[in-house]
Amino acid sequence: MWRVRRELAVFKILGALACAGLGIYWWFEDDLRGVILAVPATVLLGAMALRDVIVPVRLSADESGITVVHGFAGKRHVPWDAIWDIKVDVRRRWGLRSQMLEIDTGDHLHIFSAHELGASPTEVAAALRRRGT
C-alpha cells in the first residue's frame, strides 16, 4: 500500500491557510490584485489537501490485482492480467530529475509521482512486478 506522506498533506493545508490569510489581508487593504492572486491559490491548495485527506492511499496491491485512485477520489480495481506494462518514466529538466510510475492497462494510463506514493517509483515498480508474476 502506497500513500501520500502525511507531512505533505499538512504542508498543503498550511499553504492553503496562508493563502487564505493573505487574501483576507489584501481584501482589507483594498489590494484587488492580491486578492485575485490569493483566491485561486487557496482553492487549488485546498483541493489538493482535501484529496490527500480523503484518499491518502493512491495505490495498493493484493493477490487479485491493484487498486488505483481514479479521478478526484474514486477507486478502480485492476486485475493483474489486465495490466499491460509497469514502467518508470525518468526525465531531466533544468537540472532536476523526476520519476513517474506509469501503469498501463490498455484503456487507461495511471501515473503516480514519488510524492503520491510516498516512495521511489522505481522501488514501487519493482514491488509491483514481483507481486504480479
Side-chain angles (χ1 to χ4, degrees):
M1 174 169 51
W2 295 277
R3 61 185 305 131
V4 176
R5 291 181 21 221
R6 286 185 179 94
E7 299 87 12
L8 188 59
V10 169
F11 283 133
K12 289 177 187 177
I13 292 168
L14 292 175
L17 291 173
C19 288
L22 281 172
I24 292 169
Y25 171 76
W26 285 327
W27 176 266
F28 287 116
E29 291 293 317
D30 290 328
D31 184 359
L32 184 60
R33 285 183 285 181
V35 173
I36 290 172
L37 189 74
V39 169
T42 302
V43 170
L44 180 64
L45 279 172
M48 291 169 54
L50 182 64
R51 183 177 190 216
D52 290 351
V53 170
I54 292 174
V55 190
V57 176
R58 300 296 165 87
L59 174 65
S60 62
D62 59 18
E63 295 78 27
S64 64
I66 62 171
T67 303
V68 296
V69 171
H70 186 72
F72 185 78
K75 292 185 179 184
R76 172 177 285 160
H77 183 75
V78 180
W80 288 115
D81 59 352
I83 297 174
W84 290 12
D85 192 20
I86 298 172
K87 68 178 184 175
V88 178
D89 182 38
V90 179
R91 296 185 185 237
R92 296 181 193 281
R93 188 169 181 175
W94 296 330
L96 299 174
R97 182 174 181 259
S98 68
Q99 295 181 345
M100 301 293 275
L101 174 66
E102 296 180 356
I103 301 173
D104 187 0
T105 62
D107 294 338
H108 299 288
L109 181 63
H110 302 282
I111 301 174
F112 301 95
S113 69
H115 298 294
E116 288 182 299
L117 298 170
S120 166
T122 305
E123 294 170 6
V124 175
L128 288 175
R129 287 185 193 114
R130 281 192 308 270
R131 188 97 189 227
T133 57

